[in-house]
Amino acid sequence: MTLTATHCVASIPTYPICKHQHKPPRSLSRRILSRSNRVSKVKIPQLTSLTFEPRNECECFNLYEQQVPYGQAWAWQKSIVNEKKTLIQRNEDCSDSLFVLQHRPVYTLGTASSEQFLNFDVKDSPFDIYRTERGGEVTYHGPGQIVMYPIMNLRNHKMDLHWYLRSLEEVIIRALSETFCIKASRLEGLTGVWHGNQKLAAIGIRVSQWITYHGLALNVTTDLTPFRSIVPCGLRDYQVGSVRGLLKEFQSSADCERARLPDPDDGQLLDITCKSLIKEFSEVFQVRINQETTSRLELLERKPVNHLEEETN
């Protein structure tokens, strides 16, 4: 069984559809340890012990300091999905995986996305465009946006797409509340996380044989200008917001963790948000996070990526 989820679902070919194709690095994983683009760090309180008993393990590729080309991250996801399917066929244990990263500027469309939501000619796009197998309409990814791609075996959790989508939203809602006192919420009938009329996070997923991929994107310090060239998620009557934008609007709050932060710069804000998202992800899904090494990525890059075929039961 193969399923997509967010606002619309259909089946059409998946492919990159833009002229702005950059040559990918020979081995992106070898650049992960480069210090040239490291952001500044701040320390935030860490859990001394887990407040729950984790039911499953989750390998985590925390690359948030890197601007990973969309095609590379997409290939990594599909490679791991194929790995997990093979394990399931062999009746072997299949744990979860999580990518945390930023992307270079790119527009992505879901399986049934309409080009009417692009305010430009596809042949003259300002950035690369990828049509993918996820659900949902067009969105933008770029620097300053934390993207999480959970690749989870829902057999080990709950085989329910509604539950899974609401759980992804819960991760973001908790992180924003606990770390920044931002009262984010859901909107009935829509997928994502909002503050008032501003959409802070988009969610688009794919589920194949109960293995999830694609995921969520939270605007932290994102330049929101590129969103003006599209109708984000096909919603014309809503705005796009960011954590940085909201923090500029808010007054300091004595009972909030952010009141003790010395007005963090963009790098620090990304660092804080990333740690908070991973912590909440661990708690919402009750998984133990195990940080993965770059050698695992090098292995993925050497593996051929097969197209994930449409399946039905």
Side-chain angles (χ1 to χ4, degrees):
M1 176 174 62
T2 298
L3 301 168
T4 57
T6 57
H7 297 109
C8 53
V9 179
S11 298
I12 58 176
T14 59
Y15 53 92
I17 56 172
C18 184
K19 67 180 181 180
H20 296 276
Q21 296 300 322
H22 305 288
K23 184 178 180 180
R26 183 175 182 181
S27 177
L28 180 65
S29 60
R30 296 183 185 277
R31 300 172 55 200
I32 299 302
L33 299 181
S34 170
R35 298 181 180 274
S36 60
N37 293 319
R38 294 288 182 182
V39 298
S40 55
K41 298 279 186 85
V42 294
K43 292 184 178 180
I44 59 175
Q46 299 295 315
L47 287 178
T48 56
S49 62
L50 292 174
T51 57
F52 62 95
E53 184 64 30
R55 296 182 300 187
N56 300 287
E57 302 291 317
C58 180
E59 61 175 356
C60 178
F61 301 90
N62 189 354
L63 313 177
Y64 91 94
E65 294 171 335
Q66 303 292 319
Q67 294 179 21
V68 180
Y70 186 83
Q72 179 66 82
W74 193 12
W76 284 339
Q77 290 180 77
K78 289 187 282 189
S79 181
I80 290 183
V81 169
N82 286 330
E83 279 185 1
K84 295 188 187 306
K85 287 183 176 181
T86 299
L87 290 172
I88 291 172
Q89 290 172 357
R90 295 174 179 171
N91 292 319
E92 297 180 18
D93 289 339
C94 176
S95 60
D96 299 322
S97 304
L98 174 67
F99 284 94
V100 185
L101 47 81
Q102 298 179 66
H103 280 308
R104 297 175 184 174
V106 64
Y107 292 119
T108 68
L109 296 86
T111 54
S113 294
S114 171
E115 293 183 10
Q116 69 175 332
F117 296 125
L118 305 179
N119 298 328
F120 54 81
D121 188 331
V122 173
K123 297 179 181 178
D124 192 29
S125 170
F127 305 118
D128 288 358
I129 307 178
Y130 282 85
R131 183 175 291 277
T132 75
E133 66 276 83
R134 66 164 174 80
E137 285 289 347
V138 62
T139 194
Y140 166 78
H141 297 304
Q145 183 187 75
I146 297 292
V147 178
M148 300 181 79
Y149 293 132
I151 306 174
M152 309 187 75
N153 179 9
L154 292 185
R155 294 174 180 81
N156 295 333
H157 298 274
K158 191 172 183 178
M159 295 164 67
D160 183 329
L161 292 189
H162 180 80
W163 170 85
Y164 179 63
L165 289 169
R166 303 294 79 78
S167 296
L168 291 178
E169 292 167 345
E170 185 67 16
V171 169
I172 303 165
I173 290 170
R174 289 190 186 186
L176 294 178
S177 175
E178 293 295 324
T179 307
F180 303 111
C181 283
I182 293 175
K183 294 182 179 179
S185 62
R186 303 174 179 88
L187 289 186
E188 185 176 356
L190 299 176
T191 299
V193 173
W194 311 72
H195 182 270
N197 198 46
Q198 298 181 48
K199 189 170 188 178
L200 304 178
I203 296 175
I205 68 168
R206 180 76 169 184
V207 179
S208 180
Q209 295 182 18
W210 295 111
I211 302 296
T212 72
Y213 59 120
H214 295 285
L216 65 87
L218 172 64
N219 298 321
V220 183
T221 64
T222 322
D223 176 8
L224 302 180
T225 305
F227 284 102
R228 299 175 186 170
S229 296
I230 61 175
V231 179
C233 303
L235 302 174
R236 297 187 182 276
D237 299 326
Y238 297 91
Q239 301 175 355
V240 176
S242 70
V243 175
R244 168 62 78 195
L246 289 178
L247 292 182
K248 287 181 178 179
E249 298 175 8
F250 294 163
Q251 297 289 331
S252 296
S253 174
D255 61 350
C256 184
E257 177 64 27
R258 65 180 169 84
R260 298 193 289 273
L261 295 174
D263 190 21
D265 61 29
D266 284 358
Q268 293 170 334
L269 190 55
L270 283 165
D271 189 58
I272 294 168
T273 306
C274 176
K275 290 176 179 176
S276 183
L277 285 170
I278 292 175
K279 170 182 171 292
E280 299 301 336
F281 180 89
S282 173
E283 294 194 355
V284 168
F285 287 101
Q286 298 186 18
V287 294
R288 185 188 306 277
I289 299 295
N290 301 317
Q291 299 294 335
E292 265 295 345
T293 63
T294 57
S295 59
R296 175 88 160 99
L297 292 178
E298 292 171 1
L299 179 62
L300 288 177
E301 289 174 357
R302 290 196 296 268
K303 288 185 176 181
V305 177
N306 298 323
H307 176 67
L308 295 173
E309 298 293 339
E310 293 289 330
E311 301 148 3
T312 57
N313 278 354

